[in-house]
Amino acid sequence: MSTTPIITPTANSAELAYYEYLSRMWWDNKTSVASLHRMNAIRIPWVVETLIKLGIAKNEFVNTDQPLQDLLILDAGCGGGFVTEALAPYGCTVVGLDICSEILEVAKAHAALDPSLTKNITYVLQCIEEHAEKNPEKYDAVIAFEVLAHLNEPELFLESCVKCLKPDKPIFVATFNRTIASFFLSIVFAEYIWGFIPRGTHNWFRFSYPNEIQEILEKNKCKVQEIRGQLYNFLSKTWHWSGIQALKFSMYAIKKK
Ligand SMILES: C[S@@+](CC[C@H](N)C(=O)[O-])C[C@H]1O[C@@H](n2cnc3c(N)ncnc32)[C@H](O)[C@@H]1O
């Protein structure tokens, strides 16, 4: 069932239609969405360890099994909730925000399968621009994973994400690099030769250079602390960190006071 889409400068209607279609298979491990889910194996520990390392996680909880207690985290462009759900068991409250209502319904239904998760998760159907207006400097961390390549005006999206952040807190961003290698690996190979991602998932022109994202963040009073590359092993079907940023990169930056 299709509902009225949220019209916002950052929304790309073709991408939203695609995510509406993908929502039906989001949590099915046998489908193409699985390669996104597999990123959790490295990206969730990275976020948790970084929050501990930066002293954002509160001292009294660091050595417990819920080290992120009392933190409020925004998962911007949360999709069906891979990141939101994976962070909630660490004790933080996670707000999953997306503008695709179908995908949020899937996210809510999946989270409801585990009642221990639901108290820590809120899903919000709203564009980031409006969310930022209503929730300035509210969050202890903002995550924008794999969303920049699926919207219009990534600069406005990131600016709004930063607005939601408290000073001295981190924003985490991950997206595809705009290189010849990413064109061949993520589009020609993954979509057309191997075929494990549906054709049309990626638009190479929406990929970003790490320095472009760094510039946007620094224009918005953030200081980039780390940029790391990410590669996929097509045989073992696992993601791993790498010094090579040619396919994908992840970075985090701290908002200055
Ligand atoms: C590839 S999914 C990423 C899901 C999730 N962040 C992850 O990494 O598992 C991209 C998501 O971005 C959402 N999206 C696209 N444009 C958006 C916008 N302007 N504001 C919020 N979400 C948006 C789509 O609806 C989709 O759910």
Side-chain angles (χ1 to χ4, degrees):
M1 185 189 62
S2 197
T3 45
T4 314
I6 293 187
I7 310 292
T8 153
T10 58
N12 178 284
S13 51
E15 289 282 348
L16 286 182
Y18 181 68
Y19 279 99
E20 183 183 326
Y21 154 76
L22 270 194
S23 61
R24 288 172 236 149
M25 57 188 88
W26 197 266
W27 286 93
D28 181 345
N29 255 338
K30 290 184 225 61
T31 68
S32 52
V33 191
S35 62
L36 177 62
H37 196 191
R38 287 187 199 114
M39 285 181 197
N40 274 14
I42 58 170
R43 64 186 180 172
I44 300 300
W46 179 55
V47 170
V48 174
E49 284 158 20
T50 304
L51 291 173
I52 293 174
K53 182 179 80 183
L54 293 174
I56 310 283
K58 298 196 172 147
N59 263 341
E60 65 259 47
F61 302 125
V62 164
N63 293 318
T64 70
D65 56 359
Q66 298 204 315
L68 304 187
Q69 278 177 76
D70 274 4
L71 299 188
L72 181 62
I73 298 181
L74 176 66
D75 182 12
C78 63
F82 290 154
V83 173
T84 307
E85 269 199 30
L87 285 174
Y90 290 92
C92 47
T93 300
V94 194
V95 174
L97 175 140
D98 208 288
I99 50 171
C100 177
S101 57
E102 289 76 10
I103 221 161
L104 279 184
E105 288 311 313
V106 169
K108 284 181 201 165
H110 194 270
L113 297 174
D114 181 349
S116 71
L117 289 180
T118 41
K119 68 175 180 11
N120 288 7
I121 292 178
T122 309
Y123 283 114
V124 177
L125 177 66
Q126 195 175 38
C127 69
I128 189 73
E129 299 95 301
E130 188 185 344
H131 194 72
E133 280 304 312
K134 295 186 174 154
N135 301 277
E137 304 205 341
K138 177 168 175 180
Y139 291 92
D140 297 299
V142 173
I143 295 175
F145 281 163
E146 313 314 327
V147 59
L148 295 182
H150 302 286
L151 42 77
N152 298 333
E153 303 197 30
E155 186 159 356
L156 175 60
F157 187 88
L158 285 176
E159 183 189 317
S160 308
C161 285
V162 173
K163 258 191 209 163
C164 295
L165 251 190
K166 291 179 189 165
D168 278 339
K169 309 290 180 187
I171 174 168
F172 297 83
V173 181
T175 193
F176 279 90
N177 200 342
R178 197 161 67 243
T179 61
I180 303 286
S182 71
F183 176 74
F184 280 101
L185 287 171
S186 70
I187 298 177
V188 178
F189 187 66
E191 293 185 16
Y192 288 85
I193 297 179
W194 198 309
F196 69 89
I197 297 179
R199 291 180 182 188
T201 298
H202 296 118
N203 176 343
W204 186 78
F205 294 99
R206 292 188 189 283
F207 292 180
S208 311
Y209 297 124
N211 66 314
E212 283 172 344
I213 302 302
Q214 178 164 7
E215 267 171 38
I216 295 174
L217 291 173
E218 298 199 337
K219 221 166 100 182
N220 286 284
K221 296 198 186 126
C222 291
K223 176 101 182 80
V224 171
Q225 306 289 319
E226 184 185 4
I227 308 179
R228 39 169 85 190
Q230 192 179 326
L231 293 177
Y232 190 63
N233 183 325
F234 289 91
L235 297 174
S236 65
K237 296 185 177 166
T238 53
W239 288 97
H240 56 95
W241 297 122
S242 165
I244 299 166
Q245 297 173 4
L247 177 63
K248 281 187 84 310
F249 64 91
S250 298
M251 72 170 72
Y252 83 85
I254 308 272
K255 182 175 181 173
K256 294 182 206 155
K257 279 203 174 113

